[in-house]
Amino acid sequence: MPAKRRIKARKQPLQQRSRETVAVILEAAARVLEARGLEGYNTNAVAERGGISVGSVYQYFPNKDALTLALIGRFEQALLEKVQDAVATSEGKSLTASLNLVIRAQLEVHAERAGLNRILETEEDRLRPASAEPAAASELKQLVAVLLARHRREIGRPVDDDAIEDLIVISRAMVDHALQKDLSRPAAGRRVLRAIEGYLHGPVRDA
């Protein structure tokens, strides 16, 4: 059996200069993907776009797949930070208002670089095993759990791990669909909210 291809970063940048170099590499990779798509995406193109040597790229990333996973991680971190702000802001508000804040945060992050994010969504399915849950995904579940716990009495189903995961899957799928259909943010927000509230207030049937 052939050896599994290495797709993790070679090392984590610890010094400020190293972090800046990695930031340049990742932004260059993002811009190559946006401009050329997967067909024109390779480490040489990234190095050229970033104005650095390809050796500098390989110092941190062994191949373009490792770069792509780092971009996915960067996106997930940005999403997590936006949702953190939304959940913090939602304290004391109604369930509907709280959900709206979280949905808007999702739409804002996804729409910021929609073309790039669509590519990353596709590549995530290919590159990341289903069993490998990133830290940001675990933290996102915790945030959703906090939000739902505040409104437990308003929700028509048990607030358990299944409900939390279902809610994230529903909102993510609908946000992706809204961007693919080029819906306006208000229209997309209404549709996502309707789906989520329908799930939370819907009848619970035994399997």
Side-chain angles (χ1 to χ4, degrees):
M1 181 178 293
K4 188 173 181 180
R5 190 182 183 201
R6 179 183 175 88
I7 58 174
K8 292 184 179 179
R10 290 189 188 278
K11 65 178 184 178
Q12 296 299 316
L14 300 178
Q15 297 180 348
Q16 179 63 25
R17 184 174 179 181
S18 297
R19 289 195 292 268
E20 290 172 356
T21 300
V22 168
V24 168
I25 293 170
L26 290 179
E27 183 57 27
R31 294 189 181 189
V32 169
L33 278 173
E34 287 174 320
R36 306 183 187 180
L38 289 170
E39 295 79 7
Y41 177 58
N42 54 62
T43 51
N44 286 324
V46 170
E48 181 181 359
R49 184 65 182 81
I52 57 178
S53 70
V54 71
S56 294
V57 176
Y58 286 133
Q59 183 179 359
Y60 298 98
F61 302 99
N63 49 55
K64 66 179 182 181
D65 285 347
L67 265 171
T68 305
L69 276 176
L71 285 174
I72 292 168
R74 187 176 75 165
F75 167 80
E76 290 172 339
Q77 186 60 38
L79 176 63
L80 177 64
E81 290 172 3
K82 282 287 188 180
V83 173
Q84 284 174 332
D85 290 344
V87 172
T89 303
S90 72
E91 190 166 6
K93 299 184 184 297
S94 68
L95 175 61
T96 296
S98 298
L99 292 173
N100 260 322
L101 285 169
V102 173
I103 291 167
R104 288 174 190 167
Q106 287 182 278
L107 287 168
E108 181 179 342
V109 176
H110 279 79
E112 186 174 348
R113 300 176 81 164
L116 171 64
N117 293 333
R118 280 194 289 268
I119 294 173
L120 296 180
E121 289 278 357
T122 301
E123 288 293 274
E124 181 178 15
D125 293 337
R126 180 178 69 86
L127 296 173
R128 180 177 285 161
S131 60
E133 181 177 80
S138 178
E139 292 183 51
L140 182 61
K141 288 181 180 180
Q142 293 174 24
L143 285 170
V144 174
V146 168
L147 188 150
L148 295 183
R150 291 177 186 164
H151 302 279
R152 190 179 297 273
R153 294 182 180 179
E154 303 171 59
I155 297 172
R157 66 174 62 244
V159 178
D160 54 18
D161 290 344
D162 287 343
I164 292 166
E165 187 170 348
D166 288 347
L167 201 65
I168 292 172
V169 170
I170 291 168
S171 62
R172 176 175 175 174
M174 293 205 66
V175 166
D176 289 344
H177 178 74
L179 292 173
Q180 290 170 5
K181 294 295 183 180
D182 201 25
L183 298 179
S184 68
R185 286 196 204 176
R190 288 192 296 271
R191 292 178 66 168
V192 178
L193 178 64
R194 185 165 62 240
I196 290 176
E197 288 194 316
Y199 173 81
L200 291 175
H201 298 310
V204 179
R205 298 182 175 87
D206 293 334

